[in-house]
Amino acid sequence: MARPKSEDKRNAILDAATRVFAERGLTAAPTSEISKQAGVAEGTLFTYFKTKDDLINTLYREIKLELADTMMSGFPRKKGVRIRLRHVWDGYVTWGVTNPEQRKVLAQLGVSGMLSKESIEAGSAPFVEMHNTIRDAIEQHILRADVPIELISKMLGALAEATMDLMVLKPAMAQKYRNSGFEVYWAGIARK
């Protein structure tokens, strides 16, 4: 009879995978090193995740859920669009600065071509409210209608990434970068 799976072991494997992927990259990271850092046998890793691709897809979904928790927690639904987007911005920037390994792995995963369609959909699902906010704001003529909704979302991510890089590089300027980054984003998407 197989022993029940342990949530602690599963989480230890995911934490180790994050560290190893951040350090070595997705393809150069051996499962043997992930197992070693997790403190489990390599066979145990494959008890929890059938393949390395399964581990990668699970890790992606876990990171995206944690990010969504941070960004969407306390989402000010009844406030104006600018306040709602600023809330999302601040959550993302705070998460990225405090979770550099996860941020690095998420960036690698996003361009890896290793994610299943199901994982991508699951990773996007928690952000539906943010996308609805943007769509509704375009329809209400608050945001520019000439900028595609996908670009408005991607712009937030790209500007937030640049902002996080600078905040880490110059911590004394972190708040200035955070505020200025959002102002640049808002100026690019808001109707004049």
Side-chain angles (χ1 to χ4, degrees):
M1 183 168 147
R3 286 190 293 180
K5 292 181 181 176
S6 157
E7 195 66 24
D8 289 342
K9 282 185 185 177
R10 180 186 179 277
N11 291 337
I13 293 166
L14 291 170
D15 290 344
T18 300
R19 287 190 305 276
V20 175
F21 290 149
E23 181 183 311
R24 296 190 183 188
L26 299 173
T27 55
T31 54
S32 60
E33 182 60 25
I34 294 168
S35 300
K36 180 180 171 187
Q37 286 199 26
V40 300
E42 192 168 7
T44 301
L45 183 148
F46 290 111
T47 299
Y48 287 83
F49 306 98
K50 291 181 178 109
T51 64
K52 186 176 178 182
D53 281 350
D54 182 34
L55 171 62
I56 285 169
N57 278 275
T58 301
L59 182 61
Y60 173 78
R61 290 189 302 272
E62 293 282 327
I63 292 173
K64 290 290 276 194
L65 281 174
E66 182 183 317
L67 174 57
D69 250 8
T70 301
M71 288 173 64
M72 302 309 292
S73 178
F75 187 70
R77 287 169 185 83
K78 298 193 186 291
K79 300 287 183 177
V81 173
R82 182 183 168 99
I83 291 170
R84 284 181 274 165
L85 289 179
R86 179 62 194 245
H87 176 87
V88 167
W89 172 273
D90 285 338
Y92 185 32
V93 168
T94 299
W95 177 86
V97 169
T98 56
N99 295 284
E101 288 178 331
Q102 288 175 302
R103 179 178 160 224
K104 185 175 184 178
V105 171
L106 189 58
Q108 291 173 23
L109 289 165
V111 298
S112 70
M114 301 169 96
L115 299 174
S116 69
K117 181 181 177 212
E118 295 79 19
S119 290
I120 293 168
E121 288 171 359
S124 296
F127 299 97
V128 137
E129 194 163 14
M130 182 185 83
H131 295 292
N132 289 342
T133 294
I134 292 169
R135 188 195 65 239
D136 294 347
I138 291 169
E139 290 172 3
Q140 297 166 11
H141 306 290
I142 297 166
L143 299 182
R144 293 172 50 176
D146 63 322
V147 178
I149 191 168
E150 305 84 22
L151 185 57
I152 290 174
S153 294
K154 290 283 190 183
M155 286 170 57
L156 185 139
L159 283 169
E161 288 292 328
T163 299
M164 290 181 248
D165 288 343
L166 290 169
M167 289 171 70
V168 169
L169 192 62
K170 295 183 181 178
M173 297 280 294
Q175 194 58 42
K176 175 109 175 122
Y177 290 135
R178 176 191 298 264
N179 293 336
S180 297
F182 181 77
E183 291 304 322
V184 168
Y185 173 64
W186 183 256
I189 65 170
R191 281 192 65 173
K192 308 292 183 232

